[in-house]
Amino acid sequence: MDAGKLDTRVEVKRLTKTADGFGGTTSTSAVNSTIWANKKETSGEIVQENGKRQQYLEIELTVRKKTAMTILKTDLLAISGVSGDYRIKEVYDSIHKYFSTIKATKIG
């Protein structure tokens, strides 16, 4: 894998809790970092759940190994130019020496 193939800009959003002023907290997502990745769509399906149609789109992102170590499994990913967020399913070392693979699913 060439580093030049990392052509997709990805925002890593982390959920943070802030005080709401009434003794409770509010969860919001804020951009934690921006990374470069190689995106490959692996599957997509439409299923019927509870009388509602859901579309699931699965992708694989290849990123640098050092970058992948900073990403938590609870983070959300936003692909540049694509609406909606992706939830991370798994992160593992790629077959390439200095890269890792992130599998994520978009529900929309």
Side-chain angles (χ1 to χ4, degrees):
M1 162 80 46
D2 289 335
K5 291 185 179 180
L6 304 179
D7 58 354
T8 304
R9 196 160 184 92
V10 179
E11 289 181 343
V12 179
K13 296 180 180 180
R14 187 155 294 163
L15 295 174
T16 58
K17 292 185 178 183
T18 56
D20 63 3
F22 297 104
T25 59
T26 302
S27 295
T28 58
S29 64
V31 176
N32 185 42
S33 62
T34 303
I35 62 173
W36 289 96
N38 181 336
K39 180 182 105 172
K40 182 171 81 170
E41 294 180 0
T42 55
S43 69
E45 65 177 325
I46 298 174
V47 295
Q48 188 86 13
E49 285 184 6
N50 302 324
K52 188 169 113 176
R53 290 177 60 171
Q54 292 276 357
Q55 178 183 10
Y56 293 92
L57 178 63
E58 293 189 10
I59 62 169
E60 283 185 3
L61 297 173
T62 303
V63 299
R64 294 180 190 271
K65 191 176 286 192
K66 288 183 181 181
T67 302
M69 289 190 290
T70 64
I71 298 173
L72 303 176
K73 290 204 177 187
T74 56
D75 291 343
L76 300 173
L77 304 175
I79 309 295
S80 179
V82 178
S83 64
D85 292 333
Y86 292 83
R87 295 198 182 274
I88 297 173
K89 289 175 53 178
E90 58 183 310
V91 179
Y92 57 90
D93 289 341
S94 178
I95 58 172
H96 306 291
K97 189 173 182 180
Y98 299 106
F99 297 92
S100 292
T101 300
I102 300 171
K103 286 190 174 186
T105 303
K106 176 182 175 183
I107 302 171

